[in-house]
Amino acid sequence: NLYIGADLDGVVMALASPSKTDDLPALLGASADLQATAWPVRVVAIGEEIARHRPHVIGLQEVWTVDINLTGLGIPVDIDLDYLTSLQAELVSHGLNYIVAAEVTGVTAQPFPVISVVDRDVILVAASSVTFDPTRVVATTFAANVGPVAPGVLLRRGWVSIAATVDGVP
């Protein structure tokens, strides 16, 4: 679980409430938390852990893409994070090549044009030792899901699976 770095429940509750006066304070608080939990620092530690153990297959939850740019509103918040891209780049810096075998999108939020937050579940495989059958990849959301929870915010959960062969062993 890569964890976005902030509790988004307060933002969702503010967006869902009829009052619009709580939206920006909730968003700014979550943005500050997200920056304080320092994904660029955390991804280095995660990359080091993966490099140390070299798993063949990695199952990931909360693989976020976060784009928040409030500078046009005169607010100095500009966050552009792609957890998957930065994790894969970190792994490459350790000489490791992990590719995406499966992914499914869960939470999507675009409550305003200057905000986009997307959550995915992803399976990475070590390209040097793992093969998988693309016809047996499952990437789906559950039939029963929460759905819209606030304007522009869709809460879905799902799962991914693959049929992998590791070093010739299914």
Side-chain angles (χ1 to χ4, degrees):
N1 187 327
L2 297 182
Y3 178 56
I4 193 168
D7 182 356
L8 300 182
D9 290 346
V11 177
V12 171
M13 288 189 304
L15 291 169
S17 77
S19 171
K20 296 302 166 201
T21 61
D22 54 356
D23 294 359
L24 187 57
L27 176 63
L28 292 176
S31 296
D33 289 347
L34 191 150
Q35 291 171 314
T37 57
W39 169 250
V41 175
R42 291 189 293 130
V43 73
V44 171
I46 293 168
E48 289 170 355
E49 183 77 9
I50 292 170
R52 191 170 21 262
H53 296 284
R54 297 181 183 261
H56 296 289
V57 179
I58 303 170
L60 300 169
Q61 295 175 297
E62 293 195 31
V63 183
W64 295 93
T65 304
V66 180
D67 293 305
I68 302 171
N69 188 339
L70 305 179
T71 58
L73 303 173
I75 301 169
V77 173
D78 187 3
I79 302 170
D80 183 18
L81 299 170
D82 184 327
Y83 287 38
L84 180 59
T85 299
S86 57
L87 176 58
Q88 287 181 294
E90 182 61 30
L91 295 174
V92 166
S93 79
H94 290 279
L96 302 173
N97 181 22
Y98 282 84
I99 61 170
V100 174
E103 71 178 278
V104 66
T105 299
V107 176
T108 56
Q110 191 169 18
F112 306 105
V114 295
I115 298 169
S116 175
V117 180
V118 177
D119 167 43
R120 294 167 291 165
D121 296 328
V122 176
I123 295 177
L124 296 177
V125 297
S128 62
S129 61
V130 178
T131 58
F132 62 96
D133 181 350
T135 65
R136 295 183 58 201
V137 169
V138 177
T140 189
T141 55
F142 295 113
N145 248 304
V146 176
V149 292
V153 181
L154 180 62
L155 178 59
R156 290 180 301 219
R157 295 288 183 232
W159 60 285
V160 291
S161 70
I162 63 170
T165 300
V166 179
D167 292 331
V169 179

